[in-house]
Amino acid sequence: MSGKYKPKYTRMAQVKTALDLTKYLQTHAIDLAFDETLLPPDESPFNQPIPLKSGKTIGNSLCILPMEGWDGTLDGKPSDFTRKRWVKFAVSGAKLLFGCEAVAVCHSGKANPNQLVMNPDNFDEFVSLRQLILDHHTEQFGSTEGLVIGLQLTHSGRFCKPNSHKKFESQILYAHPYLNQKFGMDDDYPTLTDEEIDGIIEKYIAAAVLAQKAGFDFVDIKHCHGYLGHEFLSAVNREGKYGGSFENRTRFLRNIVEGIKQAAPGLEMGIRLSAFDLLPFKKGPSDVGEPESAETYPFAFGGQESGLTIDLEEPKAFLALAQSLGIQMICITGGSPYYNPHLMRPALFPPSDGYLPPEDPLLGVKRQIDVTAELKKAFPELVIIGSGYSYLQEWLPNVAQNVLSNGMADSVGFGRMVLSYPTMPADMSAGRTLTRNLICRTFSDCTTAPRNGLVSGCYPLDPLYKKLPEAEELKAIKETL
């Protein structure tokens, strides 16, 4: 948004004291618990190790979430920008790197032309990226003890843009009543055949084999944010073996897991899951987001048919399935940045293709915390990682401590916050005061930039990106909004 935009809701940076936060939450009827005082490091839940059934131990309860990169080469290799981001993950102090990066299993499955791709030609690059993390983590903390590193494998499905940031080359599972029109597909747009899906599954398995050979501890089989894995879960009207019943809609996951177990025995797997979804939102009056209108909406996995209310019956069935397949680590998120971003990225300042928040962003934070807590309670043996905390800003440690102390999650994830403040988890673990001028203020520049074909990064706070020519281009783009 332009510099003239004045948010409707109070900025978190203006909430200075615990009393201020308590009053704000009470005034706005937001039942979000937090601890006024942070515990010393030797008592802090941030430093609680997490044993895995595989025999590995995650060294603490802080996690770096996987992010989609827009800064690789056109053939899917990392650039210097990519490597600089991975160094931030390495020195963050978090001991679980849940997937590091959204890595496409094939060129046609990329979400943008500069996304990384795992294939034989790029294999050595991933060996080097993992070693980069090990080297910098060791330099920062003395060893890699307790460090668990994953690689997120993805196919972007409906949101494929492999050759141009301006043009979708969508691969869809069914005709969606809103998303087809929103993203330029007519009602006769072709859907993936069962045979084509079988081929994509083989690409996941091949990418997992390479990830294991490159030394990664696990792969994340991405099922979130509207991408292909997530779209399977809502393919209720699709005919054939991959649609309709819950059993059919989860066949994609089951076949990938079975194939990985055979081709890469011993490789652990995790899943990042959009555990709830609602109707797509659009700009309404004054650019505030509002849901599409629908009498019934059967396409919200984790939502009721109204499209406006959460229903966790099927997500719980999905977690039970994951557990039965031997998958222990589940990272919880919700919705999609393409059609209801306020659900998974609560923020005052939307990206250029978004809308103004339809609710206080703290309600979005609370929604994710509550869903995660309900799933953790239902599946105590799973390692559940929470996300959606960025909007809390200075108050993230206070809320996160309360969540972990009360068993509402096993680990708290950091996403875009580490772009501006990579060592925030380390500071929390050590009981250090946070550095205010590094804290992400959720301006969404890290999304607006790549949506407009620019390299992604924290333009407001990271000196590297502030000095790029793209910073001026981004400023001009925002001024036109």
Side-chain angles (χ1 to χ4, degrees):
M1 304 304 291
S2 75
K4 298 177 182 178
Y5 166 53
K6 291 187 173 17
K8 176 181 177 181
Y9 304 102
T10 299
R11 299 188 191 204
M12 291 303 293
Q14 297 172 344
V15 182
K16 304 289 189 182
T17 67
L19 182 58
D20 291 340
L21 182 55
T22 298
K23 287 181 177 178
Y24 186 87
L25 295 171
Q26 290 176 345
T27 300
H28 297 276
I30 302 172
D31 184 19
L32 180 66
F34 71 98
D35 291 347
E36 291 190 19
T37 304
L38 295 176
L39 295 168
D42 59 343
E43 300 176 27
S44 174
F46 303 146
N47 295 317
Q48 180 67 37
I50 304 171
L52 299 175
K53 291 181 178 179
S54 64
K56 299 183 183 73
T57 296
I58 303 167
N60 62 25
S61 296
L62 301 174
C63 169
I64 302 300
L65 303 172
M67 285 171 274
E68 180 184 323
W70 291 269
D71 52 21
T73 64
L74 294 180
D75 55 356
K77 294 180 172 65
S79 68
D80 286 342
F81 284 114
T82 313
R83 285 182 276 271
K84 288 179 187 298
R85 284 191 296 104
W86 281 56
V87 169
K88 291 181 178 183
F89 307 158
V91 302
S92 67
K95 288 293 188 179
L96 176 60
L97 307 186
F98 197 95
C100 289
E101 181 117 6
V103 175
V105 298
C106 57
H107 173 81
S108 61
K110 292 198 291 185
N112 71 79
N114 299 98
Q115 188 170 25
L116 301 189
V117 180
M118 175 58 98
N119 59 32
D121 290 340
N122 297 348
F123 171 76
D124 289 343
E125 299 284 355
F126 286 94
V127 175
S128 297
L129 280 175
R130 176 180 170 274
Q131 190 61 48
L132 188 71
I133 283 180
L134 297 177
D135 292 345
H136 283 270
H137 192 86
T138 301
E139 182 180 344
Q140 190 82 356
F141 302 107
S143 77
T144 58
E145 183 179 358
L147 182 64
V148 176
I149 307 171
L151 194 69
Q152 184 181 74
L153 302 181
T154 184
H155 186 291
S156 296
R158 185 175 292 274
F159 302 110
C160 290
K161 283 185 176 179
N163 299 305
S164 169
H165 76 275
K166 295 180 179 180
K167 182 183 178 183
F168 282 107
E169 299 177 45
S170 302
Q171 300 183 36
I172 65 174
L173 299 175
Y174 61 90
H176 192 285
Y178 302 111
L179 300 184
N180 273 39
Q181 181 179 2
K182 181 179 177 68
F183 297 107
M185 290 162 268
D186 58 33
D187 291 339
D188 295 327
Y189 192 89
T191 58
L192 287 167
T193 66
D194 286 357
E195 292 72 25
E196 288 171 328
I197 293 168
D198 292 340
I200 291 171
I201 289 171
E202 290 304 315
K203 290 181 171 63
Y204 269 86
I205 296 166
V209 169
L210 293 174
Q212 184 183 47
K213 289 180 178 177
F216 289 90
D217 296 305
F218 69 98
V219 290
D220 166 17
I221 306 168
K222 188 174 188 176
H223 273 67
C224 63
H225 300 166
Y227 297 113
L228 187 63
H230 186 208
E231 184 155 291
F232 273 104
L233 300 180
S234 64
V236 293
N237 291 348
R238 181 185 170 92
E239 296 181 354
K241 65 180 181 180
Y242 289 112
S245 68
F246 178 80
E247 180 182 5
N248 284 354
R249 287 181 280 126
T250 55
R251 191 181 305 279
F252 178 73
L253 171 67
R254 287 185 282 111
N255 287 358
I256 289 173
V257 171
E258 180 182 355
I260 290 175
K261 286 180 177 178
Q262 291 180 3
L267 178 63
E268 198 161 355
M269 288 168 262
I271 300 172
R272 191 163 199 217
L273 173 69
S274 278
F276 62 94
D277 203 0
L278 300 178
L279 270 163
F281 274 59
K282 61 184 178 181
K283 285 185 179 180
S286 303
D287 290 342
V288 175
E290 65 178 20
E292 298 280 2
S293 59
E295 292 184 6
T296 60
Y297 182 71
F299 307 111
F301 177 76
Q304 294 183 356
E305 282 212 348
S306 66
L308 297 172
T309 308
I310 292 173
D311 180 352
L312 295 180
E313 180 181 355
E314 280 206 337
K316 288 178 179 178
F318 183 90
L319 263 60
L321 171 63
Q323 192 168 40
S324 74
L325 294 172
I327 294 172
Q328 189 179 9
M329 292 184 288
I330 307 288
C331 179
I332 301 299
T333 180
S336 167
Y338 291 96
Y339 56 81
N340 48 27
H342 73 281
L343 295 184
M344 46 84 68
R345 292 179 182 165
L348 284 182
F349 301 88
S352 58
D353 58 350
Y355 46 76
L356 299 180
E359 62 183 6
D360 190 310
L362 284 175
L363 288 171
V365 174
K366 173 179 165 51
R367 183 183 294 113
Q368 291 205 51
I369 288 174
D370 288 350
V371 166
T372 304
E374 183 172 342
L375 294 175
K376 176 59 190 175
K377 182 178 180 181
F379 295 92
E381 292 188 12
L382 292 180
V383 173
I384 301 291
I385 300 100
S387 60
Y389 286 81
S390 293
Y391 182 72
L392 292 166
Q393 299 170 40
E394 285 90 348
W395 296 102
L396 187 154
N398 305 72
V399 173
Q401 178 177 284
N402 184 275
V403 165
L404 294 173
S405 296
N406 287 285
M408 298 162 69
D410 296 290
S411 181
V412 168
F414 296 74
R416 57 192 158 166
M417 296 196 85
V418 296
L419 299 178
S420 64
Y421 191 172
T423 58
M424 186 173 177
D427 287 347
M428 288 168 53
S429 293
R432 292 188 285 264
T433 301
L434 298 185
T435 305
R436 277 181 60 91
N437 63 357
L438 296 179
I439 295 174
C440 169
R441 300 302 178 187
T442 64
F443 291 128
S444 296
D445 285 14
C446 56
T447 301
T448 292
R451 289 282 195 266
N452 290 275
L454 306 177
V455 66
S456 180
C458 184
Y459 287 85
L461 299 177
D462 189 329
L464 172 66
Y465 294 89
K466 271 185 180 181
K467 296 175 182 177
L468 292 178
E470 286 88 344
E472 289 301 315
E473 292 183 60
L474 178 60
K475 182 179 178 182
I477 290 166
K478 292 172 68 177
E479 290 296 333
T480 66
L481 299 178

